[in-house]
Amino acid sequence: MTAGRTQVDKLFLSVEIGGTNLRYGVVDQDLKVLEFGKEPSSLLSEAEDKGAYLEELTRPYLEKYGKEAFCCMTLSLASLMNRERTINFNSPNIKGLNNISLVDILSERLSLPVFMERDVNTALLYEIWKGNIDSRGIVAGIFIGTGLGNAMCIDGKVYIGHSGSACELGHIPVLGFEGACGCGKNGCIELKASGRTLALLAQEKYGCPVGEIFLRHGQEEDVLAVVRACAVAAATEITILDPGCVVLGGGVVEMENFPMEYFQRTVRENLRIPYPRESVRFIMAHSDPEAGIVGAAINARNRMNQEEY
Ligand SMILES: [Zn+2]
């Protein structure tokens, strides 16, 4: 019997580090959520010792089930990370996480294997599982939130690229555009196509809560221009990949009165005839509160199967 066989009944200690909320819990091998908790992410952001904070947060679960009941800890967060998924280079939402190995810190503290993955990738894994989406071929995920998030799964496996930095759709360059992006370069499409752009419009021009911008100003040209920019980014990806389907999610898509029909029509107008214009299929993400921790568990399960723990 291999070591891997002994892991199959064990639990996942799962943590999603979001921009607003830190969600954590216990997920079993059938992806059933046994425990679920939530704290503001600002607490982690302010914590001097990130490892100590996360250990303290999950300690009640380790005590309740016993450490030997867990096969690993698994993390989901927004960050550029290395191919091995051990170091986060650029984690914009949480202070003090850049260029450290949360994986090493936590595995030392907990004496458990620790896995880490980008939040968009765990989100797509969750949606494929939850929506029972056929994962043969390519499934793309486009998550329009504060930024323009993107992920792809090829034959059920998240594609991370040669250096681990694949699918940064928000940072494709726009010809003739020179705006400075938070990523350190100029002209990224995310500056025109994201919730951040809508938030600026809401605040500086319309003086309304960003969540109501489509409701109150959805017909304004500059609001529609943001939707069009998102659609052009999506069409760029679909043109290259010809995915079987595209999962759409994120806070912007979920806003009241988001012009979904206009968005999809604009994507199609920018696709070749007849395919993929006619063939591309959009699926709405469930975006359940537990998506991050269950997606992180799926990722850990995939990684453990590959690496034969
Ligand atoms: Zn950028």
Side-chain angles (χ1 to χ4, degrees):
M1 180 146 318
T2 66
R5 297 294 292 275
T6 63
Q7 303 287 344
V8 292
D9 296 327
K10 291 195 170 185
L11 305 171
F12 300 99
L13 187 59
S14 203
V15 179
E16 180 201 11
I17 303 170
T20 310
N21 291 310
L22 203 149
R23 296 182 171 106
Y24 55 102
V26 177
V27 180
D28 74 9
Q29 289 284 339
D30 296 324
L31 305 176
K32 197 169 147 217
V33 177
L34 305 182
E35 307 282 349
F36 185 63
K38 193 171 94 170
E39 293 287 343
S41 300
S42 56
L43 296 178
L44 176 65
S45 205
E46 285 151 21
E48 193 84 7
D49 187 333
K50 312 299 182 194
Y53 178 82
L54 290 171
E55 186 183 11
E56 200 54 45
L57 192 73
T58 52
R59 186 192 302 279
Y61 300 150
L62 291 166
E63 283 173 358
K64 179 173 174 182
Y65 294 90
K67 192 182 284 181
E68 61 290 348
F70 291 90
C71 59
C72 67
M73 180 186 232
T74 180
L75 310 172
S76 167
L77 72 159
S79 179
L80 199 63
M81 48 185 80
N82 61 340
R83 183 181 168 77
E84 292 73 29
R85 297 328 206 197
T86 51
I87 300 167
N88 14 279
F89 297 126
N90 185 338
S91 192
N93 301 323
I94 307 289
K95 278 185 284 183
L97 273 192
N98 290 355
N99 302 311
I100 65 166
S101 178
L102 209 48
V103 168
D104 287 349
I105 292 168
L106 288 167
S107 58
E108 197 159 300
R109 277 187 169 271
L110 300 170
S111 311
L112 280 173
V114 177
F115 299 98
M116 177 170 77
E117 192 48 71
R118 290 171 68 218
D119 58 349
V120 280
N121 289 340
T122 58
L124 184 57
L125 287 170
Y126 175 81
E127 296 300 336
I128 290 171
W129 170 74
K130 175 85 178 192
N132 210 8
I133 295 171
D134 185 350
S135 63
R136 288 173 297 181
I138 297 181
V139 179
I142 293 178
F143 302 98
I144 310 170
T146 309
L148 183 61
N150 176 225
M152 75 175 92
C153 257
I154 305 179
D155 292 325
K157 202 175 157 200
V158 155
Y159 182 72
I160 65 168
H162 172 72
S163 65
S165 62
C167 297
E168 289 287 337
L169 186 64
H171 303 280
I172 56 173
V174 177
L175 190 64
F177 175 53
E178 287 298 327
C181 181
C183 74
K185 69 185 194 74
N186 293 334
C188 296
I189 199 163
E190 188 171 284
L191 294 169
K192 292 171 177 282
S194 64
R196 203 179 288 114
T197 317
L198 288 173
L200 279 176
L201 277 176
Q203 190 184 342
E204 291 175 3
K205 183 170 176 187
Y206 296 114
C208 76
V210 65
E212 295 175 15
I213 196 162
F214 292 116
L215 202 58
R216 297 213 210 164
H217 305 284
Q219 294 309 311
E220 300 286 349
E221 173 49 32
D222 47 9
V223 174
L224 288 173
V226 177
V227 178
R228 274 203 305 280
C230 294
V232 165
T236 303
E237 171 149 299
I238 296 164
T239 300
I240 298 168
L241 295 176
D242 184 21
C245 73
V246 178
V247 176
L248 294 175
V252 171
V253 171
E254 288 163 19
M255 279 181 195
E256 209 172 336
N257 259 28
F258 175 80
M260 183 53 79
E261 197 277 325
Y262 177 73
F263 171 81
Q264 293 191 10
R265 176 158 39 93
T266 309
V267 173
R268 287 187 200 280
E269 280 169 5
N270 285 285
L271 295 175
R272 290 204 68 176
I273 303 162
Y275 304 127
R277 183 182 288 194
E278 289 173 22
S279 57
V280 71
R281 199 161 54 94
F282 296 100
I283 294 176
M284 292 305 298
H286 295 80
S287 304
D288 298 320
E290 70 274 20
I293 66 163
V294 174
I298 299 170
N299 176 61
R301 195 171 67 178
N302 292 352
R303 289 273 302 274
M304 293 177 103
N305 286 338
Q306 279 162 30
E307 294 170 21
E308 289 181 14
Y309 272 75

